[in-house]
Amino acid sequence: MEFDELFKKRRSCRAFMPVPVTEDQIQAIVTAGQWAPSPLNEQPFEFIAVTDPTIKAQIQKAGIEAKQIVVDNNGPEWVKKYPMNFIGESPLILVVVYNPNKGGLGSYFGQPHGALQSTSACIQNMLLKSADLGLDSLWFTFFNPSTLKIVLDIPTELDVAGAVFIGTPAMEAKAPRRRTPKIHRDRFNKEK
Ligand SMILES: Cc1cc2nc3c(=O)[nH]c(=O)nc-3n(C[C@H](O)[C@H](O)[C@H](O)COP(=O)(O)O)c2cc1C
């Protein structure tokens, strides 16, 4: 697919068909993630491919708990209507974890987020590869990471960057509009 078409076609999906993602597709998606840039090429990320309905149900429960916390704390009104049922219906959840201490030299000079930055690049590669394979995806963070670490036996020294839902979309999602890019020339221009 043409690159300009690909990055516009990538869409966040919150309703999936019950069609499995094949092992070849999983391999292709995580390989795209692995090729992301990282400080000192430390590649701080690893993947947990979740297809077991019992574990999906536990991730869904973590989502429902997080939603309740937002509602109980007078969060935005729309959150009450946020559906969590698609979590259990998603054919594949790729949870991406990373070692926050593998962020290159940035912590010496005020840039401590190198590991998360490269893991974000990894996830974006995964989303784009999914779109290239004709699949939709969702980078999902609506959970308390501590809960997910217990559910998935994630070692304490690793952090969770997100749960990526991947599958065949049940309906075509509308593309939220983008603002025109703000490009400042040579210096940041506050008038822009
Ligand atoms: C770091 C990150 C976290 C996100 N977390 C969630 C989430 O928890 N739930 C959700 O429905 N969407 C989540 N999204 C998806 C955004 O809502 C979505 O990307 C945005 O609305 C633009 O839509 P598009 O991806 O279809 O272009 C997240 C996106 C990013 C980059």
Side-chain angles (χ1 to χ4, degrees), residues 17 19 29 31 58-59 77 89 98 138-139 173 191-192:
M17 301 280 281
V19 178
I29 292 163
T31 300
Q58 287 174 282
I59 297 175
E77 196 58 26
E89 293 161 10
Y98 67 100
L138 179 69
W139 183 344
E191 303 307 314
K192 270 210 153 227

Side-chain angles (χ1 to χ4, degrees), residues 157-171:
E157 67 272 21
L158 301 183
D159 287 346
V160 180
V164 181
F165 301 100
I166 298 170
T168 304
M171 62 181 101

Side-chain angles (χ1 to χ4, degrees), residues 10-12 14 82 138-142 176 178:
R10 180 211 56 79
R11 190 88 301 107
S12 291
R14 298 169 186 88
Y82 187 91
L138 179 69
W139 183 344
F140 182 80
T141 51
F142 205 168
R178 269 18 182 201

Side-chain angles (χ1 to χ4, degrees), residues 7-14 78 82-84 86 120 123-124 127 137-143 161-163 165 173-178:
F7 72 72
K8 287 185 181 162
K9 188 178 179 305
R10 180 211 56 79
R11 190 88 301 107
S12 291
C13 174
R14 298 169 186 88
W78 62 262
Y82 187 91
M84 287 289 175
F86 70 87
S120 299
I123 294 178
Q124 176 71 356
L127 305 183
S137 58
L138 179 69
W139 183 344
F140 182 80
T141 51
F142 205 168
F143 51 79
F165 301 100
K174 248 178 68 186
R177 61 179 286 275
R178 269 18 182 201

Side-chain angles (χ1 to χ4, degrees), residues 94-139:
L94 283 171
V95 178
V96 186
V97 299
Y98 67 100
N99 186 333
N101 297 319
K102 288 189 175 176
L105 301 177
S107 55
Y108 286 98
F109 42 80
Q111 291 205 43
H113 304 300
L116 179 57
Q117 286 172 314
S118 63
T119 307
S120 299
C122 162
I123 294 178
Q124 176 71 356
N125 273 10
M126 293 163 62
L127 305 183
L128 290 174
K129 185 63 201 174
S130 301
D132 189 42
L133 293 169
L135 302 168
D136 269 2
S137 58
L138 179 69
W139 183 344

